[in-house]
Amino acid sequence: QEHRNLPFMRELRYLFALLVGSKRKYVDPSRAVEILKDAFKSNDSQQQDVSEFTHKLLDWLEDAFQIKAEEERDGEKPKNPMVELFYGRFLAVGVLEGKKFENTEMFGQYPLQVNGFKDLHECLEAAMIEGEIESLHSENSAKSGQEHWFTELPPVLTFELSRFEFNQALGRPEKIHNKLEFPPILYLDRYMHKNREITRIKRDEIKRLKEYLTVLQQRLERYLSYGSGPKRFPLVDVLQYALEFASSKPVCTSPVDDLGASAPSSGTLPAQTSPSTIEQQGPSSSDVPSTSPVQRSVIHKPFTQSRIPPDLPMHPAPRHITEEELSVLEGCLHRWRTEVENDTRDLQESISRIHRTIELMYSDKTMVQVPYRLHAVLVHEGQANAGHYWAYIYDHHQNRWMKYNDISVTKSTWEELERDSFGGYRNASAYCLMYINDKEQYLIQEEFNKETGQMLVGMDTLPSDLRDYVKEDNKRFEKELEEWDAELAQKAQQEKLLSQIPRAPAPSPAPVQAGEPEYLEQPSRTDLSKHLKEDSVQAINKALAEQEDRGPEAIMDT
């Protein structure tokens, strides 16, 4: 570990220092990455699990700090900044086979399940309770269950969102694209061990409210989706349809009249022509020969020959209803419709009040004392086996979000972060959330010079060894720029000199003698290129010799 973790720590220090003070457009992390690749020893085409990578990264840094701390301690217990910044503790209280237990455990990244939850608080509630929690409060229960309570939160709290699960049927991992909301400010009072009693009371109250909410929602559904068949309608609309039906007056006409009014005027028989009329008309004299008796052929016309009711209502309406019956029915339907509207409105208002009560359950003053502010969001776009990563980090001094996507660093907004990180919109979603204690200002405040009191920025924030390292790298970068500029100038000079050299005429082919074949061997392209290169070199050397006493500006002007 000493041969791996300490060199990695050194390369990471250099990398962060260059991010602070480098003049380059981007910083090359290859030296640190090579150490990581050697440690993972994985195929380049195989993507490592990002959670496993982060765990190893934190472990390496913790070990490296521990090695240095033990070397430099003077009898006191060494402090490890990785542990102090990123690690917290929780108390597991539970019952196992009827026996109660309590265990204190340390955690770094806190894992949370995503599938089946709509926001971060629901994920945390599910993670803090396992099994039958009722068994924790009973003496003679054989059920098993446990609760987790934070006893110590780290200044930097990292949530690992489990957006990947293994599909047993397909035999491969899959990504969960469900939408999961998370707030910019997260209050963690309800998960603290010191608040466990009041939290349990609030949880029981929320549980009863949710049960009552389910009953109200089922009742509302009966009002909004009335009927027993596949097609259902709001009960208010059903009563309105019944009222309109009862109030309608029957207007009866023959369907044949409607057909005649809509049929074309030519090429058809009159709509009211009856079968008896057709039978009485016989064939015309021009159609019947004079020498033969009159013969009539039976013409089958199913529409005109079928029995049509003499009159039908143009729209649905009651055939027989007295004014007294209609008055009573209209009064009942009006009253029922008003009652249904009031009941529906009351149910909707009750459901809204319960939702609001649940949302405000933890908003009292005693439950907003542990605020954590969202500092960074790590995003993955793609599927379980491959994808692209980028990050959003909040700039506390400029009060804005920044998007870090490879070498591109751009200003961003909370709306863009929501679209890329919540999930459910496309294949991009957050897999890691980093919150920082909003009361620990030393995490984000600027550093000041102890002697002058002036604010330190940029290179001044670095220790002397890293400051010297960055200065040397910037000098190398400036030298690279000078060499690059000189190379470009030399190339431009050569191209200009080459353009001034007259091209040699192509050699005329030798006359073909009689009797010789026409496929004489031609000079190869390699030989021609060699001769042209030698001529070009001689011309360039000659031009340089003639102008060696003149400055580069004069050479560029020729």
Side-chain angles (χ1 to χ4, degrees):
Q1 293 182 356
E2 292 183 4
H3 295 291
R4 181 195 64 193
N5 295 352
L6 289 180
F8 178 73
M9 170 67 83
R10 181 174 59 251
E11 293 301 332
L12 202 61
R13 289 183 76 237
Y14 293 156
L15 182 61
F16 287 164
L18 290 174
L19 289 173
V20 172
S22 177
K23 294 181 179 180
R24 302 176 186 269
K25 182 178 181 180
Y26 60 89
V27 177
D28 184 3
S30 299
R31 294 171 66 176
V33 171
E34 288 300 322
I35 301 176
L36 292 174
K37 290 173 64 176
D38 292 340
F40 275 94
K41 296 185 182 301
S42 63
N43 188 351
D44 290 340
S45 62
Q46 180 182 2
Q47 181 164 315
Q48 291 294 324
D49 180 71
V50 68
S51 301
E52 178 188 0
F53 166 79
T54 311
H55 279 299
K56 283 191 175 183
L57 182 65
L58 292 177
D59 288 341
W60 290 4
L61 298 179
E62 179 185 352
D63 292 340
F65 273 116
Q66 193 68 26
I67 293 171
K68 296 298 292 183
E70 291 178 354
E71 292 177 354
E72 300 173 357
R73 68 176 177 176
D74 297 327
E76 299 180 358
K77 184 179 180 180
K79 293 184 178 180
N80 193 311
M82 293 300 297
V83 176
E84 294 180 350
L85 278 176
F86 295 99
Y87 286 85
R89 296 179 184 275
F90 67 85
L91 179 67
V93 183
V95 176
L96 180 61
E97 297 178 353
K99 297 181 180 180
K100 294 185 178 182
F101 66 89
E102 286 189 6
N103 293 324
T104 300
E105 300 181 26
M106 180 179 288
F107 69 93
Q109 289 180 293
Y110 202 83
L112 296 175
Q113 296 296 321
V114 172
N115 206 7
F117 306 108
K118 66 180 181 64
D119 59 43
L120 189 59
H121 275 300
E122 286 191 359
C123 297
L124 279 167
E125 290 283 355
M128 304 302 275
I129 302 175
E130 297 180 10
E132 299 290 338
I133 62 172
E134 289 83 359
S135 62
L136 301 179
H137 314 297
S138 59
E139 296 294 336
N140 301 318
S141 176
K143 295 182 179 179
S144 298
Q146 62 175 314
E147 296 174 338
H148 291 176
W149 300 98
F150 292 131
T151 57
E152 183 181 349
L153 289 173
V156 181
L157 179 59
T158 305
F159 292 116
E160 174 191 310
L161 305 182
S162 300
R163 283 198 170 270
F164 300 96
E165 62 181 5
F166 191 80
N167 189 318
Q168 297 289 346
L170 299 177
R172 66 187 183 193
E174 289 185 342
K175 185 178 178 182
I176 302 172
H177 297 292
N178 298 355
K179 183 178 181 179
L180 183 77
E181 299 179 358
F182 47 85
I185 299 291
L186 180 69
Y187 292 99
L188 296 170
D189 304 76
R190 71 184 79 173
Y191 311 109
M192 301 302 295
H193 182 255
K194 63 181 181 181
N195 298 325
R196 63 189 183 280
E197 295 302 331
I198 187 172
T199 298
R200 285 170 177 167
I201 295 174
K202 290 181 178 293
R203 283 177 179 172
D204 292 340
E205 181 65 19
I206 289 175
K207 183 179 180 181
R208 286 192 293 269
L209 286 173
K210 287 185 175 180
E211 291 174 353
Y212 183 50
L213 183 64
T214 301
V215 174
L216 293 181
Q217 289 173 336
Q218 291 174 351
R219 291 184 180 180
L220 180 62
E221 181 64 21
R222 298 191 189 103
Y223 281 91
L224 299 180
S225 182
Y226 187 79
S228 58
K231 290 186 177 181
R232 297 170 180 264
F233 303 92
L235 183 54
V236 172
D237 293 345
V238 173
L239 294 174
Q240 179 64 28
Y241 298 153
L243 180 61
E244 293 175 358
F245 171 78
S247 304
S248 299
K249 301 296 182 182
V251 178
C252 299
T253 60
S254 172
V256 179
D257 294 340
D258 292 343
L259 181 63
S262 60
S265 58
S266 60
T268 59
L269 290 173
Q272 295 182 350
T273 302
S274 63
S276 59
T277 306
I278 298 176
E279 291 177 358
Q280 293 174 3
Q281 286 179 354
S284 61
S285 58
S286 61
D287 295 336
V288 180
S290 57
T291 57
S292 61
V294 176
Q295 297 180 355
R296 292 186 303 172
S297 60
V298 179
I299 302 175
H300 181 64
K301 298 183 177 181
F303 176 71
T304 55
Q305 291 179 356
S306 62
R307 292 185 177 181
I308 301 174
D311 54 1
L312 287 175
M314 295 181 62
H315 52 75
R319 290 294 190 95
H320 306 289
I321 186 171
T322 65
E323 291 295 331
E324 183 179 357
E325 291 173 338
L326 179 60
S327 176
V328 173
L329 184 58
E330 285 182 341
C332 292
L333 290 174
H334 275 296
R335 185 175 68 252
W336 294 340
R337 187 175 187 276
T338 302
E339 291 173 356
V340 169
E341 288 178 341
N342 293 336
D343 291 345
T344 302
R345 184 172 59 254
D346 292 342
L347 284 171
Q348 291 173 336
E349 291 177 355
S350 298
I351 291 173
S352 298
R353 282 197 303 269
I354 293 176
H355 277 301
R356 185 63 176 166
T357 303
I358 294 175
E359 291 175 359
L360 298 177
M361 186 65 69
Y362 295 101
S363 62
D364 51 280
K365 188 176 180 180
T366 59
M367 304 301 285
V368 290
Q369 301 300 313
V370 187
Y372 270 70
R373 182 179 298 274
L374 185 63
H375 176 68
V377 180
L378 279 63
V379 181
H380 174 268
E381 181 180 26
Q383 301 300 328
N385 58 345
H388 178 61
Y389 297 90
W390 68 87
Y392 291 95
I393 303 177
Y394 191 69
D395 186 338
H396 295 270
H397 307 297
Q398 299 294 330
N399 293 323
R400 66 188 179 197
W401 285 96
M402 301 294 293
K403 182 177 181 179
Y404 295 80
N405 190 349
D406 291 340
I407 67 170
S408 173
V409 181
T410 56
K411 298 177 184 178
S412 186
T413 61
W414 174 255
E415 289 72 23
E416 182 182 7
L417 186 150
E418 278 187 353
R419 187 171 60 252
D420 286 349
S421 306
F422 280 8
Y425 175 67
R426 51 193 179 99
N427 291 343
S429 55
Y431 68 89
C432 184
L433 307 176
M434 300 188 74
Y435 282 86
I436 61 175
N437 192 329
D438 202 34
K439 292 186 176 181
E440 302 290 350
Q441 291 299 314
Y442 75 91
L443 294 170
I444 59 174
Q445 68 185 6
E446 295 284 1
E447 298 182 51
F448 292 88
N449 189 308
K450 295 180 180 180
E451 298 179 356
T452 63
Q454 294 182 345
M455 185 174 63
L456 301 177
V457 294
M459 293 277 287
D460 295 334
T461 62
L462 301 176
S464 58
D465 63 323
L466 293 181
R467 190 160 54 244
D468 294 339
Y469 176 81
V470 174
K471 288 180 179 179
E472 289 297 324
D473 185 77
N474 286 336
K475 289 180 180 179
R476 287 193 296 270
F477 180 53
E478 292 175 358
K479 186 177 181 181
E480 291 172 8
L481 291 178
E482 292 175 358
E483 293 175 352
W484 175 255
D485 292 338
E487 184 178 351
L488 290 179
Q490 185 178 2
K491 286 183 178 179
Q493 178 183 355
Q494 292 178 357
E495 291 175 357
K496 189 168 186 178
L497 291 174
L498 285 174
S499 64
Q500 296 176 353
I501 299 174
R503 294 182 177 273
S508 58
V512 180
Q513 298 180 0
E516 291 183 359
E518 297 181 358
Y519 49 86
L520 290 175
E521 183 178 356
Q522 299 292 327
S524 66
R525 182 172 298 179
T526 304
D527 295 337
L528 291 174
S529 300
K530 183 177 180 181
H531 289 305
L532 290 174
K533 185 176 181 180
E534 291 177 353
D535 294 341
S536 299
V537 171
Q538 291 177 1
I540 292 173
N541 292 333
K542 181 179 179 181
L544 291 175
E546 293 176 352
Q547 302 178 4
E548 62 179 353
D549 295 334
R550 304 170 65 185
E553 295 82 0
I555 296 177
M556 295 300 295
D557 293 338
T558 57

